[in-house]
Amino acid sequence: MRRQFVSNVAFYSTTAVLILIIVLCIGATVKSESRDETQRMENRIQEQQLMSDMKQYLNENGYRNSGVTLTYALEEDGSPDYTFTIHHKKINSMSETERGALSAELARACNAVGNYSVSYEYLLTDF
């Protein structure tokens, strides 16, 4: 009888510990996913703001109806590295030096504050 009691206590104790471990693991996973989702939402808002600022600046400075795309890659530390690709016939006819000056102007005008980097590329076509 005593042996059966000890066996039952050991069984129930082990079961309780395993259930506790499972609950803690599930909780940690949910917390991590929630944090990741929050970061994705913040990045999406940031991207929309960057795109809006860029289009507004281009429209106000003689580059109406520019084709603008925004892509990103995540760095090792988790911060995004954004790249604007811009297409406009005026930019197409610029020299490399003028495009470099435009990139510097865009960097100043679309002053982005945050833990990320922004670069600019120009889509050139042969018309």
Side-chain angles (χ1 to χ4, degrees):
M1 178 82 171
R2 175 131 170 89
R3 183 178 234 165
Q4 181 66 29
F5 177 74
V6 172
S7 178
N8 285 344
V9 168
F11 172 76
Y12 290 126
S13 297
T14 304
T15 302
V17 168
L18 291 174
I19 289 172
L20 181 62
I21 290 171
I22 290 170
V23 167
L24 291 175
C25 288
I26 290 172
T29 300
V30 168
K31 184 177 180 180
S32 175
E33 287 178 3
S34 174
R35 187 173 353 130
D36 290 346
E37 183 61 28
T38 301
Q39 184 63 44
R40 279 192 290 271
M41 287 174 47
E42 289 174 3
N43 286 349
R44 179 83 50 187
I45 291 168
Q46 181 174 293
E47 291 165 17
Q48 290 172 348
Q49 186 63 45
L50 284 170
M51 184 65 99
S52 174
D53 292 348
M54 178 60 68
K55 286 183 176 182
Q56 180 180 353
Y57 179 82
L58 290 170
N59 284 337
E60 291 173 354
N61 289 283
Y63 301 97
R64 282 199 177 284
N65 299 321
S66 295
V68 181
T69 59
L70 178 62
T71 57
Y72 74 94
L74 291 178
E75 298 293 331
E76 289 180 14
D77 64 357
S79 63
D81 177 21
Y82 293 107
T83 302
F84 280 102
T85 303
I86 305 168
H87 171 68
H88 192 273
K89 62 183 175 183
K90 284 185 181 179
I91 296 172
N92 202 44
S93 63
M94 289 180 170
S95 69
E96 192 66 34
T97 305
E98 291 171 320
R99 284 191 291 272
L102 177 60
S103 293
E105 186 179 328
L106 291 172
R108 280 191 307 277
C110 300
N111 186 6
V113 178
N115 185 27
Y116 55 89
S117 62
V118 179
S119 59
Y120 307 92
E121 295 178 350
Y122 303 102
L123 182 62
L124 305 176
T125 58
D126 297 326
F127 286 52

